[in-house]
Amino acid sequence: MIDLRPLRHQGFRSLWISSTATGTTAQLAGTALLFQVQTETGNTVLTGLVGAASAAATVAGNLVGGTLADRFDRRSVALATTAVSAVAALGLAAASAQGGVGAVFCLVVLQTVATSCGAPARRTFLRRLLPDQLVPAGVALLHLSFQVALLGGPVLGALLLASTGPAPAFLVDAIVSLTALFLLRRLPGVRASSARVSPFAGMSEVWRRPVLRTVLLCDLLATVLAMPVAVFPEIAAARFGDASRFGFLLTALAVGGVLAGLLSSRITASARPVRFVVGGGVAWGLALAGFGFVDSPAPSLLLLVVAGAADTVSVIARGSLVQLHTPDEVFGRVSALEGVVGVAGPGLGNLRTGALAEFTTPGFSVLLGGLTAAGAILWTTRRGSRGRVGGRW
């Protein structure tokens, strides 16, 4: 079972509670946002534009936030960006009640930039709050909270929308963000010692260190080559008889992630975590290849549970390596790069899967992507294994 020892440390406990709560309400607010834009405009292009704008704001916010985290006190950066996010959420509640889609769109971009800008600083706290041997377990607990938020946030959003409408969802998000401010105040103040803060230093550091370069490249290959979500509605229509049931496919991925997180102690105790990065990435690709090949509901859901579990295994191992093998003076910028990979990779992967499906079939697009991802990860790791971590992978 998952190692719960990090929760004995008060600072980590505050970070974990705030991350779980804000992650859940962010999913709740995201569900409310899509609902409001779609119901008020009836325009699916505008709904898609909201997602594209949020992705662009996330990338920009991470890049700026990484530099800020290495230049200023990291707790101050986390507190300031959380405060801006809370104010934006309050504005969203007011704008949603008035029915102004334009104002809602602008406030969502502001909130996304603020949250993303503070993300690199928040990720740097983990190894300050825990001894090195517990850092992987801390990574696993934080990722588990993310998976729980993915499962619980949309469900809470659906219940709230059915009874009260979208405005209260944004208000709940604002209240939780304000509460997170008090929890984050318990974290230690950390001002990085970097005298030279170049936004490209994180990329240079990743390129110089074989372990960081390899694990981030594995994540990029897994998502760019094999992300299947873009064709879930079409596959759901073919296998379930109703495109609206694609939510079952998303839930299966999240269920696999939660199960792997709950059973993560073998990963967090491993002396060779790169093997889990590689094994998880290959298993992700092969499970998705199987998902593209089968054509009935039960095997489809089972293979997605396996894929979700494999992805979580890889993410926990990768996060542990980034935490333990990144110099403090560039930690914010390397964390920002990790966040950008986590956003850009799935976006590009969904674009690739959807484009290929237009010329072939959704199943073939996923099948080919999964096999290509598994092969590319194995080839990349074989080349990267010349780099060592403590004398061994």
Side-chain angles (χ1 to χ4, degrees):
M1 294 296 293
I2 191 169
D3 188 349
L4 299 178
R5 288 178 295 166
L7 292 174
R8 299 174 186 170
H9 297 256
Q10 181 179 349
F12 176 81
R13 193 162 59 245
S14 297
L15 179 66
W16 186 79
I17 292 172
S18 67
S19 298
T20 304
T22 55
T24 301
T25 57
Q27 293 293 325
L28 184 155
T31 303
L33 171 66
L34 294 177
F35 173 82
Q36 180 163 4
V37 173
Q38 182 62 34
T39 54
E40 289 195 11
T41 68
N43 191 327
T44 56
V45 175
L46 284 178
T47 307
L49 183 60
V50 170
S54 296
T58 300
V59 171
N62 266 282
L63 293 175
V64 173
T67 302
L68 293 177
D70 288 339
R71 177 66 179 84
F72 301 104
D73 178 80
R74 288 166 178 169
R75 184 181 65 174
S76 298
V77 173
L79 288 171
T81 53
T82 302
V84 173
S85 178
V87 171
L90 287 171
L92 279 167
S96 177
Q98 297 296 321
V101 173
V104 166
F105 181 83
C106 294
L107 286 165
V108 163
V109 172
L110 174 62
Q111 186 184 39
T112 304
V113 169
T115 303
S116 303
C117 206
R122 288 192 296 271
R123 284 194 288 265
T124 63
F125 286 114
L126 189 58
R127 68 185 190 193
R128 295 274 182 175
L129 300 172
L130 296 174
D132 284 354
Q133 65 270 24
L134 290 183
V135 166
V139 171
L141 282 166
L142 287 172
H143 188 68
L144 178 61
S145 74
F146 170 74
Q147 293 288 348
V148 169
L150 284 180
L151 275 175
V155 173
L156 292 175
L159 294 174
L160 203 57
L161 289 171
S163 57
T164 63
F170 297 122
L171 185 59
V172 170
D173 188 32
I175 293 171
V176 169
S177 296
L178 290 170
T179 305
L181 278 174
F182 294 98
L183 293 171
L184 291 174
R185 285 178 61 85
R186 299 180 181 179
L187 301 180
V190 182
R191 182 161 183 167
S193 58
S194 179
R196 171 179 162 271
V197 183
S198 165
F200 301 105
M203 189 176 297
S204 300
E205 191 66 34
V206 168
W207 185 256
R208 283 197 299 266
R209 292 178 177 263
V211 63
L212 296 180
R213 184 174 70 241
T214 300
V215 298
L216 289 182
L217 184 57
C218 282
D219 182 45
L220 196 61
L221 291 171
T223 52
V224 170
L225 296 176
M227 201 67 188
V229 177
V231 295
F232 274 4
E234 291 182 71
I235 289 179
R239 299 180 189 179
F240 293 93
D242 186 352
S244 66
R245 294 186 180 182
F246 79 93
F248 291 152
L249 305 179
L250 292 170
T251 300
L253 283 174
V255 167
V258 170
L259 290 175
L262 290 173
L263 301 170
S264 61
S265 63
R266 182 66 64 88
I267 308 166
T268 57
S270 173
R272 300 184 180 184
V274 174
R275 292 184 173 184
F276 286 99
V277 175
V278 178
V282 172
W284 156 267
L286 294 179
L288 288 177
F291 169 74
F293 179 75
V294 302
D295 59 2
S296 55
S300 298
L301 294 174
L302 179 60
L303 285 163
L304 286 179
V305 169
V306 173
D311 178 57
T312 291
V313 167
S314 183
V315 167
I316 291 173
R318 184 188 74 241
S320 302
L321 287 163
V322 171
Q323 286 283 334
L324 295 173
H325 296 282
T326 304
D328 188 68
E329 61 270 15
V330 293
F331 198 9
R333 284 161 289 179
V334 172
S335 294
L337 186 60
E338 183 186 13
V340 169
V341 168
V343 173
L348 292 172
N350 280 319
L351 178 62
R352 182 216 66 84
T353 302
L356 183 59
E358 284 294 315
F359 297 99
T360 57
T361 65
F364 178 79
S365 181
V366 176
L367 170 64
L368 181 62
L371 292 176
T372 304
I377 289 169
L378 285 173
W379 182 81
T380 299
T381 309
R382 185 173 181 178
R383 289 179 58 85
S385 62
R386 297 169 186 172
R388 301 281 179 169
V389 181
R392 59 182 180 175
W393 278 106

